Amino acid sequence: MWDCPDCGKADIEDSAAKCPGCGFMRRVFPVLSGATGEMTLRTSLVFGYKNLTQLVGAAEARYAASRQFELRPEGECWAIRAFPGTRNATTLNGAELTEDWVAIQDGAVIHIASRRDAAVKVAEIRVSLLN
């Protein structure tokens, strides 16, 4: 639950990005956590082996393409999409992503996974949405 800083309306559901009383838009930022680090996004970012190294470590990041997936703000939420032609898949909560944008929710899990064996997940990134 959150309280509106503009009108003071209390106990607004965490899933609401807008105050029902005055329309105040709450900014939400994803915090990405991996085996070796954490980062908070404030703007769009393309993820690949270089910047995934700080989240999951060099051994796991090497399975990512130079452009594996992208996160960006989409209206009131954040969205993710995968880049086509990558050797290993990007999954969100176990479902393989495509080029289409998909909204992410608090607690989402992103994996870089083998296309040959979906059970093989080589990198895991957990998403927390904070305001």
Side-chain angles (χ1 to χ4, degrees):
M1 302 294 241
W2 61 282
D3 298 338
C4 179
D6 270 8
C7 71
K9 181 164 180 59
D11 300 327
I12 302 168
E13 289 293 324
D14 282 334
S15 60
K18 185 189 295 189
C19 172
C22 68
F24 170 81
M25 290 295 294
R26 180 173 75 147
R27 295 284 325 246
V28 177
F29 301 105
V31 177
L32 308 175
S33 303
T36 61
E38 183 177 286
M39 73 169 51
T40 301
L41 291 186
R42 304 266 183 219
T43 187
S44 300
L45 186 62
V46 172
F47 287 85
Y49 62 87
K50 286 185 180 178
N51 56 5
L52 284 171
T53 299
Q54 67 180 317
L55 287 175
V56 299
E60 287 79 14
R62 70 188 170 108
Y63 294 100
S66 59
R67 294 171 52 92
Q68 185 74 33
F69 65 90
E70 180 179 8
L71 284 170
R72 77 174 184 195
E74 274 289 305
E76 298 175 4
C77 65
W78 282 75
I80 185 172
R81 72 171 178 145
F83 287 99
T86 58
R87 187 159 119 187
N88 292 305
T90 302
T91 66
L92 179 65
N93 299 326
E96 186 171 345
L97 293 171
T98 65
E99 297 173 54
D100 297 326
W101 290 99
V102 177
I104 57 172
Q105 304 297 321
D106 187 50
V109 179
I110 302 166
H111 282 108
I112 308 300
S114 169
R115 287 193 192 280
R116 283 184 262 157
D117 184 354
V120 177
K121 295 175 173 61
V122 293
E124 178 177 290
I125 301 135
R126 297 198 169 270
V127 181
S128 299
L129 298 176
L130 303 175
N131 60 349

